[in-house]
Amino acid sequence: MTFNSLVKATALVLALATPQALLAGGAAAPLPTQDWEHKGMFGEFDNNQMKRGAQVTVEVCMGCHSVKYIKFDFLRQFGFTEQEVKDMAESQGQTKKSRMISSMSEEDAKDSFGVIPPDLSLMTKARKGYEDYTYAMLTGYLNEDESELINNAMEDDALSDSEIQSIAAKLHLNPDDPEKVKEVVTRIQNGENFNKYYPGNFFAMPQPLMADQVEYADGTKTDLHQLAKDTTAFLAWAAEPTLMERKSTGKGVLLYLILLTALLYAIKRRMWSKLH
Amino acid sequence: MVNEQGENRRDFLMLATGAVGAVGVAGAAWPFIKSMSPSADVLAQATTEVDISTLSEGQMITVPWQGKPVFILHRTQAQIDEAVKDDGQAMRDPEKDGDRIQKPEWLVVLALCTHLGCVPQPIGTGEYGGFLCPCHGTHYDTSGRIRKGPAPKNLPVPHYEFKDDSTLVIGKAIA
Amino acid sequence: MFKNIMAWVDERLPVSDLIKSQLTEYPAPKNLNYWWNFGSLALLVLVIQLATGIFLVMHYKPDAALAFDSVEHIMRDVNFGWLLRYMHANGASFFFIAVYIHILRGMYYGSYRKPREILWWFGIVIFFLLMGTAFMGYVLPWGQMSYWGAAVITNLMSAVPVVGEDLVIWVWGGFSVGDPTLNRFFSLHYLMPFLVTGMVVLHLWALHAVHSNNPDGIDLEKKDTIPFHPYYTVKDLYGVGVFLLIYCFFVFFAPNAFLEPDNYIEANPMQTPAHIVPEWYFLPFYAILRSIDFLGTFSKLAGVIAMIGSIAILFVLPFLDRSPARSFRYRPISKVLFWIFFVDCVILGWVGYNPSDAVVLGGIPIVYVGRAASAVYFGYFVLIWIITAFGIEKPKPQPKSL
């Protein structure tokens, strides 16, 4: 079998091998992918972005969520002053040496949302899609136009075909299933939280981030995309603060192994060439 | 060593590979050895912050620092005078009171008897107005110096600094 | 000086003789190809797993309330803890990569044939022990996949007639997977590698008693052999370099590639993840287990028997294969069967990865694919017997020597 035919065969197998049941039943739209500066062999966390993400996390996310494996004090490594860290901790009723635990108790959260908001320390590692999943959760809610479209729909208790088509397209629903579209519209109108990317679409978390919700000290614009990206990047750091150490060690190790393997190959070649 | 081809195997290539391999083995061992050193959360406990604003003259507290007890004594003028007065006395471990303190009214010592590591009793229990170690009867004075009994050394003074008027930080932060 | 010391030792313990007979003068076939590297590579991973494991235990806490946190403590606070854990977690996957290639090499070149049956059997015992060790190790981080993997696999024991239910409770040490289960799995996860090490010694003993097979599968004359050292020590070391390069790439740059994201969620006995999958190296056997679903109440037990049988059948492979030739190089039909078997294992793995109610290839329930692939899996062994026992396969002429 030639290499080319092998590649073709593999591609064919992969195409056929995607289980259709998953695609049909999963409902949620595929996650949009973002460029993450900390990913890849040479990716690094950007201190300024970490500062911004930490700010959003403390001011917004920590209203309900904790980041329990990180202590407020750790944030100083991004350039926050001791006083700034102290203030952030105090906003949650904590001291700078304590873990980043939300001031909202789990019982209160459960009363409000029906579930306990998950801890965010490992969020970017604990879902399929990793960072892209977190970003999609933060940005997958209905925008103004979409909300308006939904709210104006079904005024006469029924959806017209054109409404079904346009709603299904915007919300990534199956246009051939009008009953499902109708159910979704009704639930949104009843105040449930719709997220295009959340599996099952209806999410206990109301839209957490709005544009211009915080003010960045470094003057970076605060549209939804930027807020979500900074927050996700910060959470990626929180999920694995040793990532940079890992990659820099790894580069050295790989270079070393290439040298060692080359030397061993040279010896092996020389030794075995005399055999034949 | 010479192999059947009659060639000296200790040539450059072999030596270089051997050296590179040895470096690799040593390098690989390092993370294992280092993993047994105190971890980041333990190192974060290298310092202890103490609020001393509530401590009135003559009062003493014992605070844990790196898992060991430390005496913080707010000395009275009488206790300071007694310590300074004895500076010239013959002692087993001669040290001036002034060398053991940063501010005369604050004595900070590691509360582990230098004999066999018992915790001495509070101020005023021993002769010389100081601390008595109950295990083998060592007496330390109001500067924590060994004056009587089997202990060989004075109570050690840990690294500390006054962050502000009301906060004492014991220990050195380790990055 | 060195000579004197060696002479002193040799008088009391014949170390020099051992080195001579087992290394510098140990005859190895001169035509071994790179597929023969994977035995030493498996040994390398065993050493890596033992070393990293012993150091991880210094920081890990086998307690249902503390285990998950202690793993994060290792990842965040312990010096190079992230390295130890990622080496260990990826080491498990690379162990199976090495072992699977090692087993398939043995199957292709007929290394299980007379006189190497006992050598082969020791290998299968090692494989069984490795699977147990890996399974219990995966439970220790106490994430969602750890917990539910443990729940599903231990529940298989309830299929045992009469005592099944009691047996499961006994294994759990409680009414569900819980703290006692984690504690005993930790104990056994620490014990079993030493059993593996013991079996490896026996495996090597058996190997050195009958000597290595070779790609031609023929018995070699003295002139066709070369001393193991330095020829194969240096070739093995070169293989170690290449293997470590790939392994370290994963450890440092894609450490979570083999791990399920769900295992970064702490175990929650009240909520099962939407889609439970075992580690990739168990997937083919998991697929065989799930393929038997058409026998009513008997299905569960039959599935378990089929799963265990799929590995246990390797024990009788030396007696099923009656061909006059060992190596498939000279066996045209066996060669085709082997590659079908190999692709079938990949298909089984893919079936095992997908949910059991998935529909594939334009409308076929995946469970049908699983049944067919399971049949092919066992069919391989039956066909090898048929084509060799009844002389259907005519081997090509083999060389007398190299």
Side-chain angles (χ1 to χ4, degrees):
Chain A
M1 198 187 274
T2 66
F3 181 73
N4 258 344
S5 62
L6 195 71
V7 169
K8 276 183 201 151
T10 314
L12 181 70
V13 166
L14 286 178
L16 288 170
T18 310
Q20 286 125 12
L22 280 184
L23 295 182
L31 300 175
T33 52
Q34 312 291 324
D35 284 331
W36 298 104
E37 277 141 24
H38 60 275
K39 288 220 154 184
M41 264 181 108
F42 300 97
E44 292 183 0
F45 290 123
D46 167 25
N47 265 2
N48 292 323
Q49 185 170 46
M50 292 300 114
K51 266 182 101 164
R52 297 195 299 268
Q55 185 189 346
V56 181
T57 303
V58 173
E59 289 181 16
V60 183
C61 309
M62 284 188 68
C64 305
H65 295 272
S66 299
V67 193
K68 68 177 175 182
Y69 291 121
I70 301 294
K71 289 176 177 166
F72 286 104
D73 218 17
F74 294 0
L75 302 180
R76 280 163 66 185
Q77 62 182 280
F78 302 126
F80 286 110
T81 64
E82 191 169 355
Q83 191 55 45
E84 284 171 328
V85 168
K86 226 173 188 167
D87 292 344
M88 285 197 265
E90 272 162 18
S91 74
Q92 301 298 329
Q94 308 275 358
T95 62
K96 70 181 168 75
K97 289 221 169 178
S98 55
R99 291 161 174 266
M100 291 175 69
I101 304 285
S102 167
S103 54
M104 181 185 271
S105 74
E106 292 191 342
E107 293 77 41
D108 288 351
K110 196 155 188 189
D111 285 347
S112 307
F113 303 108
V115 289
I116 296 170
D119 186 89
L120 298 181
S121 308
L122 286 163
M123 185 51 73
T124 61
K125 276 166 97 177
R127 300 289 185 279
K128 281 207 168 65
Y130 305 105
E131 283 88 345
D132 288 332
Y133 176 91
T134 305
Y135 175 89
M137 287 310 110
L138 294 173
T139 54
Y141 294 86
L142 301 178
N143 61 31
E144 270 176 41
D145 293 346
E146 289 160 349
S147 294
E148 204 178 295
L149 180 71
I150 303 272
N151 287 328
N152 294 338
M154 284 219 302
E155 275 177 336
D156 46 0
D157 232 34
L159 284 174
S160 69
D161 279 351
S162 67
E163 277 178 326
I164 287 176
Q165 292 302 323
S166 61
I167 290 174
K170 288 233 158 69
L171 271 51
H172 299 272
L173 299 171
N174 180 4
D176 301 329
D177 189 357
E179 281 310 304
K180 173 78 182 165
V181 177
K182 197 176 167 185
E183 184 206 322
V184 166
V185 169
T186 313
R187 288 178 68 178
I188 295 173
Q189 287 179 343
N190 289 340
E192 288 189 58
N193 310 309
F194 183 89
N195 190 308
K196 289 167 204 161
Y197 309 110
Y198 183 69
N201 289 133
F202 287 98
F203 204 0
M205 176 168 74
Q207 179 165 359
L209 285 181
M210 314 279 174
D212 306 324
Q213 197 172 1
V214 301
E215 198 178 321
Y216 281 146
D218 62 3
T220 305
K221 64 181 175 359
T222 50
D223 59 15
L224 183 59
H225 164 77
Q226 188 66 37
L227 292 180
K229 229 182 147 195
D230 292 345
T231 311
T232 306
F234 171 73
L235 290 178
W237 170 81
E240 196 157 334
T242 52
L243 178 135
M244 307 261 279
E245 186 192 356
R246 162 158 69 77
K247 286 186 193 173
S248 61
T249 312
K251 276 173 239 165
V253 169
L254 288 194
L255 286 176
Y256 166 81
L257 282 173
I258 288 169
L259 171 69
L260 179 70
T261 308
L263 285 170
L264 287 167
Y265 180 65
I267 292 182
K268 191 254 160 195
R269 274 287 297 264
R270 195 182 67 180
M271 193 172 287
W272 280 71
S273 67
K274 288 165 198 146
L275 265 186
H276 308 298
Chain B
M1 199 169 133
V2 173
N3 68 7
E4 59 262 46
Q5 277 79 32
E7 176 205 353
N8 190 345
R9 287 209 297 117
R10 289 182 190 275
D11 61 343
F12 174 74
L13 188 58
M14 295 297 277
L15 282 174
T17 310
V20 170
V23 168
V25 169
W30 177 244
F32 290 88
I33 296 163
K34 190 69 187 133
S35 74
M36 290 174 72
S37 298
S39 57
D41 58 323
V42 173
L43 291 181
Q45 291 160 22
T47 60
T48 300
E49 261 187 47
V50 190
D51 179 10
I52 51 170
S53 61
T54 55
L55 220 55
S56 55
E57 260 187 40
Q59 243 187 340
M60 185 198 115
I61 49 169
T62 310
V63 293
W65 168 67
Q66 296 186 351
K68 296 165 285 197
V70 168
F71 286 161
I72 301 173
L73 170 65
H74 192 170
R75 296 197 294 189
T76 61
Q77 194 55 47
Q79 285 166 333
I80 299 169
D81 292 345
E82 188 163 2
V84 175
K85 152 175 87 64
D86 287 353
D87 274 353
Q89 299 278 327
M91 287 189 224
R92 188 168 301 159
D93 184 11
E95 225 179 338
K96 288 210 179 353
D97 182 59
D99 297 337
R100 294 176 52 78
I101 43 123
Q102 290 178 23
K103 294 180 180 177
E105 62 270 36
W106 293 105
L107 176 72
V108 182
V109 287
L110 191 64
L112 289 177
C113 182
T114 56
H115 181 217
L116 290 169
C118 295
V119 180
Q121 292 180 343
I123 189 75
T125 48
E127 292 173 32
Y128 309 94
F131 315 91
L132 165 69
C133 179
C135 294
H136 305 94
T138 297
H139 296 260
Y140 297 96
D141 66 13
T142 55
S143 190
R145 292 174 296 202
I146 161 71
R147 300 301 290 274
K148 190 178 165 189
K153 293 238 173 234
N154 300 334
L155 291 177
V157 177
H159 176 94
Y160 66 91
E161 54 193 75
F162 294 92
K163 199 168 160 196
D164 50 54
D165 284 344
S166 60
T167 320
L168 177 71
V169 181
I170 309 172
K172 242 186 235 179
I174 303 167
Chain C
M1 175 70 187
F2 181 73
K3 265 187 182 159
N4 287 341
I5 295 173
M6 276 323 288
W8 188 90
V9 172
D10 282 335
E11 239 177 82
R12 288 149 182 90
L13 188 71
V15 174
S16 295
D17 285 352
L18 186 79
I19 292 174
K20 223 188 234 174
S21 66
Q22 303 305 316
L23 218 53
T24 53
E25 285 176 13
Y26 177 75
K30 68 180 191 186
N31 61 335
L32 297 185
N33 55 32
Y34 278 107
W35 298 113
W36 259 263
N37 276 57
F38 286 88
S40 67
L41 292 176
L43 184 63
L44 168 78
V45 189
L46 176 63
V47 172
I48 290 177
Q49 293 302 82
L50 286 170
T52 51
I54 284 168
F55 280 80
L56 283 169
V57 167
M58 296 181 190
H59 307 281
Y60 171 77
K61 297 188 173 67
D63 179 316
L66 304 174
F68 189 85
D69 278 352
S70 74
V71 172
E72 280 307 310
H73 165 68
I74 289 168
M75 290 296 293
R76 290 156 191 271
D77 297 330
V78 174
N79 301 295
F80 292 106
W82 54 270
L83 178 57
L84 297 180
R85 171 167 175 263
Y86 278 152
M87 280 175 77
H88 201 72
N90 285 286
S93 280
F94 277 82
F95 211 152
F96 280 95
I97 290 172
V99 163
Y100 281 140
I101 295 175
H102 190 58
I103 294 173
L104 287 170
R105 188 271 289 153
M107 287 171 71
Y108 187 85
Y109 294 111
S111 301
Y112 51 83
R113 300 288 301 282
K114 184 188 170 211
R116 298 188 177 83
E117 297 94 329
I118 292 180
L119 170 62
W120 174 252
W121 290 337
F122 284 157
I124 301 166
V125 172
I126 293 172
F127 182 45
F128 265 118
L129 288 171
L130 281 185
M131 293 181 87
T133 312
F135 164 66
M136 291 186 195
Y138 193 58
V139 175
L140 302 185
W142 210 238
Q144 276 287 67
M145 280 297 172
S146 302
Y147 184 91
W148 291 101
V152 168
I153 299 302
T154 49
N155 261 312
L156 290 179
M157 271 171 280
S158 65
V160 176
V162 188
V163 294
E165 296 294 334
D166 293 330
L167 189 62
V168 176
I169 302 255
W170 176 77
V171 168
W172 286 338
F175 307 111
S176 60
V177 175
D179 193 53
T181 325
L182 176 60
N183 259 288
R184 62 192 57 185
F185 277 19
F186 175 63
S187 167
L188 295 173
H189 183 70
Y190 210 116
L191 164 74
M192 290 174 77
F194 294 99
L195 300 181
V196 170
T197 308
M199 286 306 302
V200 167
V201 171
L202 292 179
H203 193 60
L204 285 172
W205 180 26
L207 172 70
H208 282 231
V210 295
H211 293 136
S212 292
N213 184 31
N214 62 83
D216 283 319
I218 55 174
D219 293 321
L220 295 180
E221 301 162 20
K222 183 92 178 87
K223 72 171 178 62
D224 294 329
T225 66
I226 48 177
F228 188 88
H229 179 80
Y231 291 104
Y232 283 106
T233 37
V234 76
K235 191 175 180 183
D236 277 350
L237 281 174
Y238 167 55
V240 163
V242 174
F243 188 80
L244 283 180
L245 260 172
I246 301 168
Y247 168 67
C248 286
F249 174 80
F250 278 92
V251 166
F252 289 102
F253 297 104
N256 292 305
F258 291 108
L259 302 176
E260 281 293 316
D262 284 275
N263 225 28
Y264 283 111
I265 305 171
E266 190 167 1
N268 179 359
M270 298 297 124
Q271 197 176 27
T272 311
H275 178 201
I276 307 180
V277 279
E279 289 292 85
W280 69 267
Y281 37 80
F282 292 138
L283 289 172
F285 308 105
Y286 189 57
I288 291 174
L289 169 83
R290 290 194 309 183
S291 294
I292 313 232
D293 60 348
F294 45 82
L295 295 173
T297 52
F298 187 61
S299 290
K300 192 154 140 187
L301 180 59
V304 174
I305 291 170
M307 180 174 69
I308 296 171
S310 66
I311 301 168
I313 198 168
L314 294 172
F315 278 113
V316 290
L317 183 57
F319 305 120
L320 294 175
D321 186 346
R322 309 286 181 85
S323 174
R326 289 195 190 104
S327 172
F328 286 14
R329 268 189 183 173
Y330 302 104
R331 296 167 54 176
I333 305 177
S334 298
K335 191 192 269 183
V336 171
L337 289 179
F338 174 87
W339 286 112
I340 292 173
F341 176 79
F342 174 75
V343 172
D344 186 63
C345 289
V346 177
I347 292 174
L348 278 170
W350 164 70
V351 171
Y353 182 76
N354 281 305
S356 51
D357 57 358
V359 177
V360 293
L361 307 174
I364 307 168
I366 200 163
V367 64
Y368 292 168
V369 181
R371 285 180 202 164
S374 301
V376 171
Y377 182 96
F378 288 102
Y380 171 81
F381 297 92
V382 176
L383 285 174
I384 283 285
W385 174 68
I386 290 175
I387 62 167
T388 55
F390 300 101
I392 296 169
E393 180 180 59
K394 302 273 180 275
K396 291 192 272 189
Q398 299 174 73
K400 286 268 177 291
S401 72
L402 298 178

